[in-house]
Amino acid sequence: MAKKAAPKKTAVKKAAVKKPVLKKVAVKKTIRPTVKKWIFLFEEVGKAEKYSGSWEGVRGLLGGKGAGLADMTRAGVPVPPGFTVTTEACNEFRKAGQFPKGQWDQQLAAMKVVEKQAGKKFGDPSNPLLVSCRSGAKFSMPGMMNTILNIGLNDEVAEGMIALTKNPRFVWDSYRRLVEMFGTTVFNLDDELFEHPMAEYKKKKGYKLDVEMKAEDWKSLVGTFKQVFKTHVGFDFPQDVYKQLELATKAVFESWMGKRAIDYRKATNISDTLGTAVNIVTMVFGNMGDDSGTGVAFTRNPSTGDKKMMGEYLLNAQGEDVVAGIRNTSPVEEMAVTMPKVYKQFMGIAGKLERHYRDVQDVEFTIERGKLWMLQTRNAKRTAKSAIKIAVDLATEKLITKEEAVLRVTTENVDTLLHPQFDDKAKTDAEKAGKFFAKGVNASPGAAVGQAYFDADTAEKMAKEAKQDTVMVRPFTKPDDVHGMIASKGVLTSEGGATSHAAVVARQFGIPCVVGASAIKIDMEKRMMTVGSVTIKEGDWISVDGTTGQVFVGKIPTSAPSLEEQTDLLTLLKWGDEICARKGIRTAPKGWPTTGLQVWANADYPKDARRARSYGAKGIGLCRTEHMFFEPERLPIVQRMILAGTSEVRTSALNELLPSQRSDFDGLFDAMDGCPVIIRLIDPPLHEFMPDEEALLEEVITMRVKGETEGLAEKETLLAAIKNLHESNPMMGLRGVRLSIAMPEIVEMQVRAIFEAACDCAQRGIIVKPEVMIPLTGTVKELEWIQPRLERIAATVLAEKGVKRLDYKFGTMIEIPRAAVTAAEIAERAEFFSFGTNDLTQMTFGYSRDDAERNFLVIYVEQGILPKNPFQTLDRSGVGKLMKMAITDGRGTRPNLEVGICGEHGGDPESIEWCHMIGNNYVSCSPFRVPIARLAAAHVALKYAGAAIAEDK
Ligand code: PEP
Ligand code: MG
């Protein structure tokens, strides 16, 4: 906004300097912008659009709720009259500690308009207008900030309303709610201060439920609550209705910086600078009798994504009764019987809103004496599963495009969906073993196994400090509980329905959650819960199945769901792949149209390769061959090879290894028929294949002390050899290409095994594309030394096998900064580059990848020295810059140089974005992350559609 206002001011100033004659006019003009527009009536949405330049801008200015109310008003949906105080006013208020100049006057003027529209007067006992004061930021933060209802009630107005409505019970109930909300939200009093006297009162009267309270009861409680207010706040509950409005508006502004709002923003990456808007809305009452009611609904099921309205409502109640999940609600479909006309109108409006916003809506409504009012619409929070289903369905229904569908699903959604679920058999076994505890509403899917804790603070503490897996158990949750929910593996409540606070928040964060398991009796004092004779104490293990709503005693094993069953996800990922494969989605430096990223996988064994392929990998980007050396029957041969005193002995050991390596590679090529397979030659330092030095030393000393001689000499020789292999910085020592140069026999055997397997496969009709990768290159001279020898072996094997043509490459990893800097030279030899960003990060920062994380990286991130752990998310300005330089220089030498990444970053969405921008051909990651990487690649392709690859200049 500041940016927009600034040019206007300069223009005015310039005019004033140039034409002093027009000074009068100029002065007028300069005054106008100082009285900023802080208030927008709902019907002024057009002005808000003009002011902020876009719909996104309107959402930023009026908040999501304000923008929604204004937009609904424009669409002719029945919305109670009202206006929005902008987020800009909130930000000014936060800076100065007072309303910005002009806000209050504008607010008063807006109240006059609302009075006219509503045909009522604020503070007038003979025809009173009551309003609500509701928070609403750009991004919805359900329940995290303040809302105050029934503003405008005081002693006189209450009497006036009773005369008007002839409904004293409703009036006193509304009044006591106002006093309570004022105390708890405006003056931060503890809920208990009000709840306790109310519980005592009910007990004294022998009432169990609120509905049993009569008019005199509520009236008496109003008196009690006012007394509580005075005692704890220090002055009387304000009778001046405008004072109420002022204090409520300030309280909503202040709630932006409340602890729970800050925690929530941290967890959801919402910026603190946005501020909240305040919506002042004419009150409509759902608690005016049995022709009144209130409810919330989702236009499709937010848990499963099914195309069926899901909602609940309560007759004769106010909004918070439904959301808090304290009273048992009825499904919205029942309105078809209880209020058929209203139901029809409601379904019509809900459908219209979904089509208008082209997304599933979460609506709030109130029926006041048979008239329907819409109080809110927003895009519904949803589970990962439903996010994917809804996106695919909306695209199939042609309400959105395939591209929009792809963009609507987050990589976190995919991650969550592929998270573990309970093993069906294990669950049946648990049931048979009598471990079933209770069943509730399946509010947020997934399996959670953890130790039960009965309040948010303890759940968070045990999760964070004691590093336990926790499940937070509560009767129902409130916004204050969110930190405990986020820290827990799962959430269980004994009350509330599918739209209760616990359910909505858990769905948003992808936390498995069961709500309303009403058989459970929670004893907060004894810190335990029971169903019949079964008791679970605090700290006991429970298993919560958010997919089915079941709760079990103890731990039940989980397993990862199979991707093949996720048909909607497969459809979406296919659309994503099509987007990435579009020519022109990226532009090569010379202006040629090119495609987006492919996703390959790191796989060492055929079974991993098969999984990777079924997950959609288009190649193997890294096979760490040494992993095959660790197989129990091979390790002794490997050790013999390392200990060999002569080249002959070494070669003989290697010849023993050759058949197994060949068969490993054969399996890989077979699994990846038609796709490239990058096989990396041996990389780790040799000591990694030897027994542990300390343990061996201990054994040798014990034998010596005991005087045992059998086998001692061999052990002593082995110990001496291990000592000999010892290096102070093994990660910088004899490994990678250095080891190949010092001991070429190993890689010669590996290359023979690769090409023998490739030829065998080719002869069986499999399309093989082997790419031999040389690790840890620092200078082209290393490649010049080793690569021709290996190429000769390849050619020899081809000749031996009688294979005329084979599509193969020799290339290198870029994982030493010097390699990146001299990429132009390296590309003269290397036919492909693969960034080993684990080592490249280690060596660029000079951080040991084995020690940095446990020693100081956490502190560095906490202190803001590093924005993120660079071993997880690429450091663009350092490591990323080296990569960019290496690609530009490498392609300067070899224009069609294939470039990939095989470090851990290859599966991280932010790092994938960078790889797209700098021109990688593919990213390679763990098979399990392939679906996430495919979606991330599609997202970035759409985000930068058509943009040129960023070159290093
Ligand atoms: C790397 O360094 O990024 C890499 C993939 O190799 P490794 O992790 O095996 O050293
Ligand atoms: Mg490496």
Side-chain angles (χ1 to χ4, degrees), residues 297-478:
F298 296 90
T299 54
R300 297 184 192 208
N301 188 313
S303 195
T304 60
D306 287 342
K307 194 179 174 183
K308 187 168 177 285
M309 164 82 71
M310 188 191 103
E312 33 192 2
Y313 81 112
L314 275 171
L315 282 180
N316 201 6
Q318 272 199 323
E320 76 268 20
D321 299 337
V322 179
V323 184
I326 297 166
R327 270 175 63 185
N328 285 335
T329 53
S330 311
V332 134
E333 304 88 85
E334 266 184 26
M335 271 167 59
V337 181
T338 53
M339 299 178 170
K341 255 174 95 182
V342 172
Y343 180 69
K344 203 166 157 223
Q345 187 195 4
F346 172 70
M347 291 301 279
I349 290 174
K352 191 169 159 184
L353 288 170
E354 185 178 284
R355 286 190 299 279
H356 179 69
Y357 290 105
R358 304 186 313 130
D359 200 357
V360 177
Q361 295 298 295
D362 164 0
V363 296
E364 277 179 31
F365 61 95
T366 284
I367 304 137
E368 184 184 272
R369 291 187 167 154
K371 177 158 174 46
L372 174 69
W373 293 100
M374 301 304 291
L375 300 183
Q376 173 167 297
T377 189
R378 60 184 175 198
N379 292 343
K381 303 267 182 236
R382 60 204 74 179
T383 60
K385 184 176 166 52
S386 72
I388 295 163
K389 177 166 170 47
I390 288 166
V392 171
D393 284 354
L394 291 180
T396 315
E397 291 163 31
K398 302 256 180 287
L399 221 54
I400 59 173
T401 61
K402 286 180 180 175
E403 287 80 0
E404 283 173 304
V406 165
L407 286 172
R408 282 199 186 175
V409 174
T410 64
T411 48
E412 288 87 3
N413 288 152
V414 179
D415 200 7
T416 309
L417 193 67
L418 299 176
H419 264 154
Q421 312 280 344
F422 285 122
D423 243 31
D424 274 347
K425 184 175 171 321
K427 232 166 59 170
T428 320
D429 290 349
E431 267 174 89
K432 279 191 200 145
K435 301 277 178 175
F436 175 77
F437 184 59
K439 185 153 193 273
V441 179
N442 50 341
S444 177
V449 181
Q451 291 169 265
Y453 289 99
F454 294 101
D455 68 86
D457 290 342
T458 317
E460 186 192 40
K461 189 164 165 248
M462 298 316 280
K464 285 196 173 158
E465 291 173 21
K467 304 274 178 244
Q468 288 183 3
D469 286 346
T470 62
V471 172
M472 191 177 101
V473 183
R474 299 283 299 160
F476 53 89
T477 68
K478 292 196 210 167

Side-chain angles (χ1 to χ4, degrees), residues 79 92 145 218 342 365 377 384 586 588 673 847 860 880 894 928:
V79 171
E92 289 302 315
M145 290 181 293
W218 287 131
V342 172
F365 61 95
T377 189
R586 274 194 294 187
D673 187 357
Y847 296 163
Y860 267 37
R894 191 184 288 270
F928 290 101

Side-chain angles (χ1 to χ4, degrees), residues 837-838 841 853 857 861 868-875 903-912:
T837 43
N838 302 335
T841 301
E853 274 156 307
L857 270 189
V861 174
K868 287 194 171 167
N869 178 345
F871 288 105
Q872 283 172 346
T873 301
L874 262 177
D875 151 55
E904 287 311 299
H905 306 86
D908 167 62
E910 247 186 88
S911 311
I912 291 172

Side-chain angles (χ1 to χ4, degrees), residues 622 624 680 683 735 813 815 836-839 849 902-903:
L622 173 64
R624 290 178 165 103
R680 181 179 71 181
D683 182 23
R735 58 174 286 224
M813 292 187 79
E815 48 188 348
T837 43
N838 302 335
D839 274 312
R849 61 194 258 190
C902 62

